[in-house]
Amino acid sequence: MTHPTDPPEEAPAITADVIDPARLRSCLGRFATGVTVVSYSHDGQPRGATVNAFSSVSLDPPLVLVSVARTARACPLLQDTAFAVNVLSARQIGVAMTFAGRPDEAAVIAWDQGRHAPRLRHTHATIECTPWRSYDGGDHVLYLGRVEDIAIRPNEPLLFHGGSFHRRGDGLDATGRSTRISTPTALPLQLSAMEELAEEFVAGWI
């Protein structure tokens, strides 16, 4: 029996299992993203690196973030350097592969010089930035840029999910049904399954 004046027992330490990098990569790959090429100038020439770890950060001031692997040649060159985030269009898979280190001879690589950094042509959108801050991100460096100029084009974006490229599909209404009249009605969302998945995510990551 515990006496009222006894100090409370210390809770046992919780030791997390080691996360297997391959399984972690596979899990993170389930988060569908766009595909970008971060472009910059080096020795007077336009350079670029394919990045899908990109996000908006702030509207006031306007800031965006790109995460670049420390092993990438672009990583040290982006320090204190203006850059452009080129959001690729669905027809630019070859461009994505080329700037990921797998050159595609059929890829059309065409440049325009922006106000601060070189910009790829034929993209879905372009965000031109001046350097803001950089932060340690483990085996990556997180570069924040202040948005100085933008461009938006009426074409389809290139998407990445589960280790492969995709094209944008149907829009969905609040119940998960396709908004395209010509397509068959989608099954309603399985709310119970979604709740179970959310619980597993919280239990495994928080």
Side-chain angles (χ1 to χ4, degrees), residues 53-67 83 127 129 132-133 135 142-147:
F54 157 73
S55 67
S56 61
V57 174
S58 169
L59 293 178
D60 186 16
L63 301 175
V64 298
L65 176 150
V66 292
S67 177
F83 60 88
I127 305 165
C129 306
W132 180 264
R133 301 282 191 279
Y135 299 96
L142 310 180
Y143 287 107
L144 269 68
R146 181 185 177 102
V147 178

Side-chain angles (χ1 to χ4, degrees), residues 38-41 77-84 115-118 128-131 148:
V38 176
S39 58
Y40 55 97
S41 291
L77 302 179
L78 282 169
Q79 187 68 48
D80 300 321
T81 300
F83 60 88
R115 291 168 51 203
H116 302 278
E128 195 173 337
C129 306
T130 50
E148 303 290 353

Side-chain angles (χ1 to χ4, degrees), residues 116-166:
H116 302 278
R119 301 153 64 138
L120 283 168
R121 296 181 186 174
H122 315 302
T123 59
H124 183 59
T126 306
I127 305 165
E128 195 173 337
C129 306
T130 50
W132 180 264
R133 301 282 191 279
S134 64
Y135 299 96
D136 175 19
D139 58 7
H140 282 57
V141 175
L142 310 180
Y143 287 107
L144 269 68
R146 181 185 177 102
V147 178
E148 303 290 353
D149 197 10
I150 61 174
I152 303 171
R153 299 174 183 86
N155 53 27
E156 287 291 312
L158 179 63
L159 305 179
F160 191 76
H161 175 261
S164 60
F165 295 108
H166 297 264

